Amino acid sequence: MTARRSTALIGDDNRVVVGGETLTWRTLHKLPQLPSPAAVLVDNGADALAAVRHHAVHGTELLVATSSRVDLAMREELGESGFAVVTAVADEHSVTPAKLKRVEESGRVWLLTSGSTGRPKRIGHTLESLTTVRGQQQPRTWLCPYSPGTYAWWQVVTLSLTQADQALVVIEPSELESWPKIAAAHGVTAASGTPTFWRQTIYRDTEALAAVPLEQITLGGEPVDQAILDRLREIFPDARISWIYASSEVGASIVVHDGLAGFPKAWLDRTPEPGSERPLLSVDGDELVISSPHHGAGLEGAHRTGDRVEFVDDRVLITGRLDTDEINVGGSKVSAGLVRNVLMAHPSVAWARVFARKAPIVGRMVAAEVVLDPGMGPITDADLVQWCTTRLPDYGVPRRIRFLDEIPSKETLKSDV
């Protein structure tokens, strides 16, 4: 396997803002010569980008992740799988040699899954399979708030590295609360984030967000509901708003630009044209199944995503994970995702999480955690119960609602929804 060096460096002179410095891909500080295979564990965006460029130039078999995502047991596993573990902290780099000597897979990139189904797994890709935007793009400056090494991070990073005129502004975890000011200062025109990321930003400072000259807004990584799409449209009436379904296993498989939650039912079971990069989407029971040309190594054919879907009119809504989305209340089943959408449609609700709670007689009942919009008037749990009562069957109405002071999120910019 050979790295696609000729295409990978088209963006080498694109502007890169990282760690308070304005550089280009070409002038990023260089890591020491990496062993191959190498698992590079970082605590900052600059080292992560340097590892990617090193891979693009040398074809180094590479895994990039933040140190916090890789515990000691996983580091041992990596060493036993033939990876030298390179720890890059500030200006210091240490290398723990691989415990197994094996032939490198030149050009291979490894991603860690989000771990939503348990312990993170390694999924193999190449720069080519990670680069899903291939046509000529209009000049843009992209915001990258994602944790290094995640699939969404790779999507933004490869766009800047492989396309001309695609600048990159990297947001470190310490900058997340103030990212709109950083973005406005550097002329960010395109930004990708999870729904939780966008909700947190709106919750903290809508005025600062509105000052960012965004032309392209992308959402993904979590179920995308109509409320957040509508709120972003209010703030950015002229921007293109897209939501993307993507994963390490099947790549970017669904892209929707029409401003509506879910995707058209007509997209199901459409046979792709020969040579097409369009995936085949289907539903088996309640589960979304995807066959994608952007799949990870060794994952050809139909992939059971583990995501639950529901049909609403002519749309297919992705409501959550199969193992957590369905709540059985005394034999009646309700989708936690659909209940969450009802709650978040309330004008005073900034964020909500819906889950099952033990209850006498019926076994389970619907419960929720809610963060209120500070710009709206006071509201009680009884008000929200009443709101849900007129929009949901009785068994789907949350019977316990707890108010939180802020929107919770993980390193991946997701929250437990």
Side-chain angles (χ1 to χ4, degrees), residues 64-390:
V64 178
T66 57
S67 299
S68 56
R69 290 192 69 211
V70 182
D71 60 20
L72 290 177
M74 187 175 293
R75 294 183 194 204
E76 287 291 318
E77 290 175 14
L78 288 169
E80 292 167 359
S81 299
F83 290 87
V85 177
V86 180
T87 304
V89 178
D91 295 326
E92 297 183 5
H93 305 91
S94 64
V95 179
T96 302
K99 297 182 178 181
L100 170 73
K101 297 296 183 182
R102 64 172 174 83
V103 177
E104 71 165 317
E105 294 184 64
S106 180
R108 173 68 71 210
V109 176
W110 295 95
L111 278 64
L112 293 177
T113 62
S114 63
S116 58
T117 58
R119 190 170 178 80
K121 303 185 297 260
R122 291 195 305 274
I123 304 294
H125 279 276
T126 63
L127 281 185
E128 182 178 10
S129 67
L130 290 170
T131 304
T132 53
V133 177
R134 303 186 189 280
Q136 186 173 358
Q137 302 296 302
Q138 66 183 73
R140 284 199 169 114
T141 297
W142 280 89
L143 188 85
C144 185
Y146 293 110
S147 178
T150 58
Y151 184 83
W153 179 85
W154 275 103
Q155 289 302 282
V156 181
V157 165
T158 56
L159 177 59
S160 177
L161 184 61
T162 64
Q163 296 279 340
D165 300 316
Q166 304 297 309
L168 189 66
V169 176
V170 175
I171 298 298
E172 302 285 7
S174 62
E175 299 171 324
L176 279 172
E177 291 193 13
S178 60
W179 79 258
K181 294 180 180 178
I182 298 171
H186 292 287
V188 166
T189 58
S192 175
T194 63
T196 294
F197 168 80
W198 290 109
R199 286 192 182 95
Q200 284 181 321
T201 305
I202 293 169
Y203 178 80
R204 288 170 180 151
D205 195 338
T206 304
E207 186 175 340
L209 174 61
V212 184
L214 291 178
E215 301 169 357
Q216 170 67 51
I217 295 170
T218 303
L219 303 90
E222 295 175 304
V224 178
D225 59 278
Q226 195 61 49
I228 188 60
L229 294 171
D230 291 345
R231 190 72 180 94
L232 288 168
R233 173 60 64 211
E234 291 174 11
I235 300 169
F236 298 100
D238 298 322
R240 185 174 78 158
I241 299 176
S242 311
W243 79 260
I244 296 177
Y245 179 94
S247 71
S248 302
E249 292 87 352
V250 297
S253 299
I254 305 172
V255 183
V256 182
H257 304 298
D258 63 8
L260 300 177
F263 62 91
K265 192 184 297 184
W267 289 8
L268 291 174
D269 301 315
R270 293 187 304 177
T271 302
E273 298 292 331
S276 169
E277 293 198 342
R278 189 178 72 194
L280 174 63
L281 310 176
S282 59
V283 174
D284 184 2
D286 295 331
E287 184 176 12
L288 180 65
V289 179
I290 299 177
S291 299
S292 171
H294 306 299
H295 59 76
L299 297 177
E300 295 91 347
H303 172 73
R304 304 188 73 90
T305 65
D307 285 317
R308 188 171 183 272
V309 302
E310 290 216 2
F311 298 101
V312 177
D313 299 326
D314 64 345
R315 306 291 287 192
V316 183
L317 303 184
I318 300 170
T319 56
R321 302 295 297 175
L322 275 173
D323 56 352
T324 57
D325 184 67
E326 187 176 86
I327 301 175
N328 189 324
V329 182
S332 298
K333 297 176 181 178
V334 63
S335 162
L338 293 184
V339 176
R340 184 178 66 247
N341 290 349
V342 169
L343 281 168
M344 289 193 297
H346 192 288
S348 293
V349 174
W351 174 89
R353 180 173 82 94
V354 174
F355 52 95
R357 179 172 172 172
K358 289 183 179 180
I361 304 176
V362 294
R364 292 285 187 273
M365 68 177 179
V366 179
E369 294 176 335
V370 168
V371 177
L372 297 178
D373 186 333
M376 304 299 289
I379 189 173
T380 67
D381 55 350
D383 294 325
L384 289 179
V385 169
Q386 181 59 35
W387 169 271
C388 292
T389 298
T390 60

